[in-house]
Amino acid sequence: MGRASRQDIMDMYWAYVKDEYQMASDDMNKQAISFWQNLLLVSLTLVGVLVSLYDNTQQNQYTRVVFLLSLVLLTLCSLVCGIILYVHSTQSARYRRDLMAEFERALNHGCPMEEVMPGPNKTLEALQKIAFLLLLLSVFSILTYAFIKVFMVC
């Protein structure tokens, strides 16, 4: 058997890199992005419904404060969900950049490629916790608003 040329090695590695990137980008972010898009849609829809159904007549100050708190929490939840979606999109680009760097390193040194795995993103983890907390607090404040509006007539 003859020794493979540099072009053959480059083609072989490029096929591996392309397949690896395609599988990773499809599997890694598809479900997460879909989940956060749906959560963003739900929170924005709730903001729209709350604003459109708001009745300003005969409401005391506490009811208005709880309503405003609900809107602020839902809006912040929507903002954090949007940021999470952005971080997911940049994470995919960062993974591609790391994969290409490993490809070039393996090609230049003539050694096999090592597996490239995206590391944990602490910013993303913190944002996800904040989004869930904001969502829970907003649901609690909406329920409190409904309770005050129904049972506390002033």
Side-chain angles (χ1 to χ4, degrees):
M1 287 195 156
R3 189 169 174 181
S5 70
R6 182 173 172 87
Q7 186 63 38
D8 292 338
I9 293 172
M10 211 163 97
D11 291 342
M12 180 180 67
Y13 276 137
W14 180 245
Y16 171 77
V17 167
K18 200 163 78 170
D19 290 343
E20 188 72 24
Y21 171 70
Q22 191 67 27
M23 286 185 341
S25 64
D26 286 346
D27 295 338
M28 185 172 65
N29 283 331
K30 190 180 255 185
Q31 290 178 344
I33 287 175
S34 176
F35 173 78
W36 290 107
Q37 283 176 338
N38 289 333
L39 191 60
L40 177 64
L41 180 67
V42 165
S43 61
L44 287 174
T45 302
L46 280 174
V47 169
V49 167
L50 282 176
V51 168
S52 67
L53 295 179
Y54 180 66
D55 181 20
N56 197 11
T57 60
Q58 297 180 344
Q59 290 189 1
N60 60 16
Q61 183 178 1
Y62 300 114
T63 308
R64 291 179 183 166
V65 168
V66 172
F67 178 76
L68 180 64
L69 179 66
S70 300
L71 285 179
V72 168
L73 288 172
L74 278 170
T75 303
L76 286 174
C77 182
S78 301
L79 179 66
V80 171
C81 287
I83 293 170
I84 288 171
L85 286 170
Y86 174 76
V87 170
H88 271 294
S89 68
T90 58
Q91 188 176 21
S92 180
R94 187 172 355 119
Y95 174 69
R96 188 180 85 228
R97 186 182 63 235
D98 292 347
L99 198 58
M100 290 305 297
E102 175 60 24
F103 169 68
E104 288 182 13
R105 185 199 65 78
L107 189 61
N108 290 336
H109 292 96
C111 59
M113 281 185 66
E114 295 178 9
E115 188 174 354
V116 177
M117 294 297 291
N121 190 337
K122 295 186 186 219
T123 304
L124 184 63
E125 291 173 5
L127 286 172
Q128 289 172 345
K129 289 176 184 176
I130 291 170
F132 285 127
L133 179 66
L134 288 170
L135 183 64
L136 287 174
L137 289 174
S138 64
V139 168
F140 178 72
S141 68
I142 290 170
L143 292 174
T144 304
Y145 170 71
F147 179 78
I148 290 173
K149 187 163 175 151
V150 170
F151 295 113
M152 303 281 193
V153 178
C154 293

